[in-house]
Amino acid sequence: MNVRLIFLLVPMLFLSLCFLLASETFAHAEEEMQVLLMFYDQKDLVVSSTRFPKPQSQVAENMTVVTADEIQAMNAHTVAEVLNRVDGLFVEFNQDFGAGSLIGIQGSDERHVRVLVDGVTWNFLSSGTAETNSIPVGIIERIEIIKGPASSSWGSSLGGVVNIITKAPGIQTRPSGSVSTSYGERRTQDYSGQVKGSAGPVGYYLYGGYRKSDGQESARGFEAESFYSKFRLPLGENARAELAMGYGEPDLKVGNYDLYGTRSSADARVFWSALNVNGSMGRYWAFELSARSFSQKLVQDNRFLGLPEGMDDRYLESDYDEDTHGGSGKLIWRRAAHTVVLGMDLDHGELDQTLTAGPLIRMYGVPARIHATPDIDKWAVYLNDSFVWGDWTITPGIRYDDNDITDGFVSPSLGVAYHMREDTILRASASRGFTIPSLSSLSGGGFQLDPNPDLDPETVDSLQIGAETRCLKYASLKATLFRHVVDDTLTGKTVVGADGSITAVVVNGGTVRRKGAELMVQTIPLYDFSLQAGATFVDFSEPTDSGARNIYAYNIGLRYDNPDILWAELFGHYVDWDIDEAFQVEYDDVIWDLNLRKSIYSSADTRVETFFTAHNLFDGMQYLTSGQENPGRWLEAGFRVMF
């Protein structure tokens, strides 16, 4: 059967199944969730490890959760700013407003990290990386981050998963929401509004936002508008559906790359939708069915710097147009100590890629235009179990992924969480994972890149052990040791043609071992002051492309929280990238941010607060590319109305 026809039929099939299977009490599943919330905070219930809600205390994987309240407190404008504060994550970006970013976890390559929004994969088909500045942070309920391979649940995710879960529709007939505005130097602006509630049996959540900046450094700038909606739809008495749709259009002036003598801009457009239907079939069985669609278009324009007036300064224009459609289904069995999840994923992706070279580049034999239209079909089945036995939670999992461009792959995992005492948890996990090559590396659609359709997936064998304790009188501690052995690593190889032309091809290389540790400490409030600190160390068996043998990262934050006076936080971030000096980088300083927040009006229905942020308070320098220096100190202020 035609794959596209399958994806068109999936939503209709999902709705039909809901009515068929809703003969039993959907209310029982709702009742179980309410019971869980009696014992666990919403932050402590996570879905990413097994793709079904479970207490974080029963999760064996190394996981961090960032909530909407934490995002709001740090006055973040982009997902990259949020992730840059998470221990174990390494975010490459120049820290300007709306800047592009690359996300690595525990030293992984950026293409190894899978980013999801509402179950929709955000990674580019062309490169395998994910750009998150198109995601408005205002819609985020929480971000669940799995550090290390998550392939037994999610498939291609050798480095880890960043799972962004958006806010839920309201349940009250009286609408609630917020309006926020901020203004900073260089005409930096962020305006947003959101509202949720219910109209009869239908719940809704609506969001609109606009961000703009002239760029804190010259030749840069950012502008983006975003819209998002989510509706909860009743399907009889025993089932429900949620429909989410979002749109974003970020335009970015990247700035000048002095080392290469070029300047760059990137204009993007994304649209995504997701339909989820869930219900129960008796006391012990539940199901969830979903359909999703994601379209993104990215146009990158690169031009030469310093050419004489009137000369054509075009270097290279890259146009990527991607469409992905898919569906998922899972069956859940819960009884006594077991929660078993059996699921299946289907996806079809298409890439239309065009590269146009300028006249100066064509003088060296580069084709004026390169056009490629590769596509990919994928399917997978997975099975996992969370088995609670006294103080132990044991989580075995396995998944098989198949696609039409590489060999299939089996991803097993086994995790254990042990409550050694009421305030101490020990965790251990062993897993095997993979990441499939990007479509550009397979099809040769990149600039001076030859095709290699025989590429194999990169694979990893991973082991992590850790402990989390609150047994200390004034502080909690969390420590993790990790070891990842990556095989068939992708690397570039120079190819010299018979005519003397020089191109490149991506090939499978050897083995790279990454090992290291994470350590986090957080004190309890003392006279309204608390301290949090974290450190991450990664050691590579082979130097990275930038020459790094080790990476160190440190986070430290001092917080003051008195609702009657002020909320304040001073947060510092430092990364030692160990990059060769030839790359003209600088990272000798800690970047300090100061956030202040104060309530100026409060009533039974409305609260108004004002906030202030001093970015890079002490003018520190920390950048990885010549010409892409991070901004110095810049200030912004705003207010927020919550009703």
Side-chain angles (χ1 to χ4, degrees), residues 64 81 105 146 154 177 197 290 608 622 624:
T64 295
E81 294 177 64
I105 297 179
I146 298 178
W154 295 102
S290 63
V608 181
Q622 193 178 118
L624 299 179

Side-chain angles (χ1 to χ4, degrees), residues 273-293:
S273 59
L275 172 65
N276 293 283
V277 177
N278 54 58
S280 64
M281 301 174 292
R283 186 171 181 83
Y284 305 113
W285 293 89
F287 70 92
E288 183 175 319
L289 302 162
S290 63
R292 54 187 173 271
S293 177

Side-chain angles (χ1 to χ4, degrees), residues 441 448-452 491-495 503-507:
S441 61
Q448 289 186 295
L449 183 66
D450 293 334
N452 185 0
T491 185
K493 179 182 177 182
T494 301
V495 178
T503 57
V505 64
V506 177
V507 297

Side-chain angles (χ1 to χ4, degrees), residues 111-164:
R111 65 179 179 274
H112 297 156
V113 178
R114 186 170 184 175
V115 177
L116 300 141
V117 180
D118 292 331
V120 176
T121 298
W122 218 257
N123 299 61
F124 284 103
L125 294 171
S126 56
S127 65
T129 61
E131 177 52 72
T132 59
N133 64 6
S134 57
I135 305 169
V137 295
I139 69 174
I140 298 174
E141 178 63 32
R142 66 187 187 276
I143 305 176
E144 298 181 1
I145 303 153
I146 298 178
K147 305 171 193 176
S151 296
S152 63
S153 289
W154 295 102
S156 181
S157 53
L158 183 157
V161 162
V162 175
N163 188 15
I164 296 173

